[in-house]
Structure formats: structure tokens, C-alpha cells
Amino acid sequence: MTVTTGTAVAGGFPPPASTAGGRGEVTQLRVLHSEWIKMRSLRSTFFTLIAAVVALVGLGALFAAFTAAHWDHMSARERASFEPGLTSLRGYFLAQLAVGVLGVLVISGEYATGMIRASLTAVPRRLPVLWAKAALYVTIVWALMTAGAFAAFLVGQALLSSQHVETSLGAPGELRQVMGVGSYLTVVGLLGVAIGALIRNTAGGIATVFGLLLVVPVLAEALPTSWGNHINQWLPSNAGQSVLTLHQEAHTLAPWTGFAVFCLYAVAALAAAAVLLRQRDV
């Protein structure tokens, strides 16, 4: 009779150390793969991202076509302030809402369904789940929104060429504008993920994203000029959209300075979400 003190194994021999500890080990790569499967299996993710691309390209084309059709009736002042590149990229304003909302849903949706318990049980250290969700989402958003920005620019300039007021990617600042749209929307997505992890509620997270991107800048316009000139430029969306401007105006941040400030907002929110994820119950 053979007596064993460990787990019973066929043949009475323990498994090799490499297979015993390797199969169930949780690594960041495996967490990324798991999150990728979850993300691509949701139809809402696909349709929301497609809606963002359609808004970016479609609205840009609409603004460009409208401008070309009414160019002959525009005043000299309107023509002087006209920016052909930015006109074809105006769709980013609506696209940011879709990107921000989906960023919230990436994590708040699991809290709503209770799936987050399974995710964090499988990954007890918790933070790899947050890093995986954030990394995957910003990668997808950057790829799609940057491609969409280039498409919007090219379509818009083709429409404006009927009035010979188009520009090109080689013109000063235009490539920065196009790449800036993709980068700005990527940070909006990261901010959405961070807010979703902080609030853990879909409605609250979406309301917060809308408030930061749309409501707060409007309310800040009501401030006295002496205050507004100093405060408005540091608001998240205003700072981030500095990268889309060709010429720095008074009381605004330089393009890359403003974008860096916007990135700091998103990183700070994600860091706060990481701290709370470690401390709070699921």
C-alpha cells in the first residue's frame, strides 16, 4: 500500500513543476487576452465605435459641403477666420461623446451585471484588470479615430476644392490637427474608463463625462472675464482641444502644453481609480 501526503496523482508521481505552476498563472498578457475577448464579443462596443467614426467623417463632410456651397455668400470676416482643416474635422465634437460613453461602459457595465466579481476573483490583484481595460480601449480608439480623422480631412478637402479653398497635410500645422483629433479622442476614452472605474455606475459615469466635456466649459463662460481668462484654459476639454488650433490665441495654452494638461487629468483620474479599486469592496 502506498501512502501519499499530497494531492493524489495518476501513477503516484507529482506533476512536473513547470506544468503545475504554469497553467493557472495570472499574467498581464493573459488578462489582456481575456479582456480582448470580452470587448470584441459585445455588439455595443462595435456599433458605438462605428457611430463615432461615422460622426467624425460624416459631420466633417457635411460642414465642408455646407461651407463650399455658401462660400460665395460669406462675408470677408468669415472668410478671413475660415480654417479648412478644422472645418473638415468638426465631427470630433460629437465623436467624443460616443468615445467617452463607451469608455465608461467598458468597466461600469461589469459592475451593473455583477461580472466584475468573476473578473476580480480570477485576477485577485485587481489592478491588471484595470490596466488591461484601459490599454485595450485606448489602443482601439487611437487606431480608429486617427484613421477616421485622416478620412474626414481628405473627404472634407475634396469637397472644399470646388471653391479652391482647400488645404493639404503638408501645410503648417495641418498634420498636427489631424493627429491631434485622434490623440484627443484617445484621451477622452481613457478619461471615460477612469471615471467609470471611479464611480462604478453607468448613469453617473456618463453624466460626469458629459459634465466635464460639455457643461463645465459653458458654465465657465459665465465667469467674469478676469477670472475666465485664467480658468478656462485649464479646463479638461479646453486644454485638450488646444492641440487642434493652428494659432495660439490670447489666454489659451500652447497646443502641446494644453494636450499635456489634458493627459494629466486622465492619468490622475486613472490613478485615483486604481487606488480605490484596491481599497473598496466589489
Side-chain angles (χ1 to χ4, degrees):
M1 180 177 69
T2 302
V3 178
T4 60
T5 57
T7 304
V9 183
F13 297 97
S18 60
T19 58
R23 289 179 180 174
E25 183 181 357
V26 177
T27 65
Q28 186 66 67
L29 186 61
R30 287 176 173 174
V31 177
L32 277 168
H33 181 66
S34 174
E35 291 300 326
W36 167 243
I37 293 174
K38 287 192 287 186
M39 193 173 293
R40 67 184 173 86
S41 64
L42 291 174
R43 290 185 178 182
S44 60
T45 301
F46 173 78
F47 288 122
T48 304
L49 289 173
I50 290 300
V53 174
V54 170
L56 180 58
V57 179
L59 286 179
L62 183 63
F63 281 117
F66 181 83
T67 301
H70 291 78
W71 181 258
D72 293 334
H73 305 287
M74 291 173 62
S75 66
R77 182 178 180 180
E78 290 174 324
R79 292 187 181 188
S81 61
F82 171 67
E83 293 186 16
L86 188 58
T87 298
S88 61
L89 298 171
R90 288 289 185 188
Y92 84 87
F93 193 79
L94 184 58
Q96 69 178 335
L97 301 183
V99 169
V101 167
L102 185 57
V104 172
L105 289 171
V106 162
I107 192 163
S108 69
E110 289 201 28
Y111 279 100
T113 61
M115 186 183 291
I116 193 67
R117 296 187 181 90
S119 297
L120 298 184
T121 299
V123 188
R125 289 183 296 166
R126 296 190 175 192
L127 291 187
V129 174
L130 180 61
W131 305 146
K133 288 181 180 294
L136 275 174
Y137 188 59
V138 299
T139 300
I140 293 170
V141 169
W142 182 84
L144 287 178
M145 296 303 108
T146 301
F150 274 101
F153 182 87
L154 295 175
V155 170
Q157 300 317 303
L159 292 169
L160 291 172
S161 65
S162 63
Q163 293 289 350
H164 306 290
V165 292
E166 75 279 10
T167 187
S168 67
L169 288 172
E174 293 299 343
L175 182 59
R176 170 172 58 78
Q177 271 192 331
V178 176
M179 295 296 294
V181 166
S183 300
Y184 171 76
L185 293 175
T186 299
V187 180
V188 168
L190 180 61
L191 188 62
V193 173
I195 290 173
L198 277 170
I199 297 179
R200 305 194 299 180
N201 177 272
T202 299
I206 292 174
T208 302
V209 169
F210 275 44
L212 285 175
L213 298 180
L214 301 180
V215 179
V216 172
V218 173
L219 293 178
E221 293 294 332
L223 292 173
T225 303
S226 58
W227 290 16
N229 288 341
H230 296 289
I231 294 175
N232 291 346
Q233 61 184 332
W234 298 101
L235 297 178
S237 58
N238 290 348
Q241 290 168 17
S242 297
V243 76
L244 309 180
T245 60
L246 287 182
H247 310 288
Q248 183 181 356
E249 300 178 0
H251 309 295
T252 61
L253 298 176
W256 292 116
T257 302
F259 183 69
V261 170
F262 189 41
C263 290
L264 286 176
Y265 276 111
V267 170
L270 190 65
V275 171
L276 291 179
L277 182 61
R278 291 291 298 271
Q279 295 179 348
R280 294 188 298 198
D281 292 334
V282 177

